[in-house]
């Protein structure tokens, strides 16, 4: 059985001071009735502060970064390396979010390098894929997303792939209030799982967790989580509101 996995992607929101207040408020009301795995992905500058509070107060929440470079170190001004995240004892790292692809020129090739670098540094990648509206309306969404899966996983060993999380996030549903229907989201997640079975094996595909992302909120999470191939959610906007994020966790 795959453990449900709810992750919050804060994007470029909250100062380190606001992040501290968030985790304290969150801890105060924290319940986890579905026994989900939970991960919070704040901006880099809040990782250490949140990690210290989580560890000190033994809050059962994982922590993730929103991006990283694939190289160990070097002349890459402004970048953060996998080794730096490993030293912070971060659990997860979001790789290839559509905003990174759209605004920072990330490609399937760079996503592939980052996914492999994450595993090589004991970080678990949450690898994002998803089509834009034009692709969906042209009826090419599945081919497009499965192509992303193939290219982003190239050369990744099967024993590592089993620990992968994929986030299927249709770009037209991100931050728009427009969610994919749970049936459409499940159809894509199921196609992704079949693709992974083809690339590796049925057993590996069954262990990979596939999240849906795109305007997830307290009012739609229960239906999304009732779908057989949706194992969790990558939550953007609603993850920086303590009440909404807790309501999503306790769907
Ligand atoms: P949203 O973002 O929940 O605000 O739509 C999701 C995401 O980009 O991960």
């Amino acid at each position: 059985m795959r453990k449900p996995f709810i992750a919050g992607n804060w994007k470029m929101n909250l100062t380190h001071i606001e992040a501290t207040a968030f985790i304290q408020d969150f801890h105060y009301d924290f319940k986890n009735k579905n026994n989900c795995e939970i991960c919070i992905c704040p901006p880099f500058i809040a990782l250490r502060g949140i990690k210290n509070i989580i560890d000190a107060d033994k809050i059962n929440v994982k922590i993730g970064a929103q991006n990283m470079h694939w190289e160990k170190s070097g002349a890459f001004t402004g970048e953060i390396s996998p080794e730096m995240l490993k030293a912070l004892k971060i659990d997860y790292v979001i790789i290839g979010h559509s905003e990174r692809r759209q605004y920072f020129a990330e490609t399937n090739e760079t996503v592939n390098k980052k996914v492999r670098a994450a595993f090589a540094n004991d970080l678990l990648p949450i690898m994002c894929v998803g089509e834009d509206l034009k692709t969906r309306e042209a009826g090419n969404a599945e081919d497009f997303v499965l192509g992303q899966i193939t290219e982003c996983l190239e050369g990744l060993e099967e024993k590592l792939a089993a620990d992968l999380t994929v986030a299927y996030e249709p770009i037209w549903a991100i931050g728009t209030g427009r969610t994919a229907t749970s049936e459409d989201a499940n159809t894509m997640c199921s196609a992704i799982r079949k693709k992974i079975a083809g690339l590796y094996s049925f057993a590996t595909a069954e262990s990979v967790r596939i999240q849906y992302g795109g305007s997830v909120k307290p009012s739609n999470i229960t239906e999304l989580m009732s779908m057989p191939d949706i194992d969790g959610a990558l939550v953007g906007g609603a993850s920086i509101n303590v009440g909404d994020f807790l309501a999503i966790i306790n769907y």
Side-chain angles (χ1 to χ4, degrees), residues 172-180 212-217 220 224 234-236:
W172 46 270
I174 295 177
T176 57
R178 186 173 163 190
T179 328
Y212 167 79
S215 298
V216 172
K217 38 191 180 254
N220 58 24
L224 286 162
L234 183 56
V235 186

Side-chain angles (χ1 to χ4, degrees), residues 161-176:
D163 289 327
L164 181 73
T165 299
V166 175
Y168 167 58
E169 301 202 305
I171 295 169
W172 46 270
I174 295 177
T176 57

Side-chain angles (χ1 to χ4, degrees), residues 65-133:
Q66 298 174 15
N67 176 40
M68 62 172 202
H69 199 279
W70 60 86
E71 291 285 353
K72 252 167 98 153
S73 61
F76 299 100
T77 302
E79 291 292 314
I80 297 288
S81 79
E83 274 198 354
M84 295 170 186
L85 296 178
K86 182 179 178 179
L88 275 179
K89 299 192 165 51
I90 295 305
D91 306 287
Y92 284 93
V93 57
I94 300 172
I95 301 288
H97 188 281
S98 61
E99 288 149 16
R100 300 291 319 167
R101 294 173 185 259
Q102 188 180 348
Y103 305 123
F104 302 96
E106 295 203 12
T107 61
N108 291 338
E109 195 186 334
T110 61
V111 171
N112 177 256
K113 286 184 182 174
K114 291 181 180 196
V115 165
R116 297 205 283 173
F119 277 122
N121 286 280
D122 303 324
L123 301 161
L124 292 171
I126 301 175
M127 186 184 91
C128 302
V129 294
E131 80 288 356
D132 63 15
L133 191 57

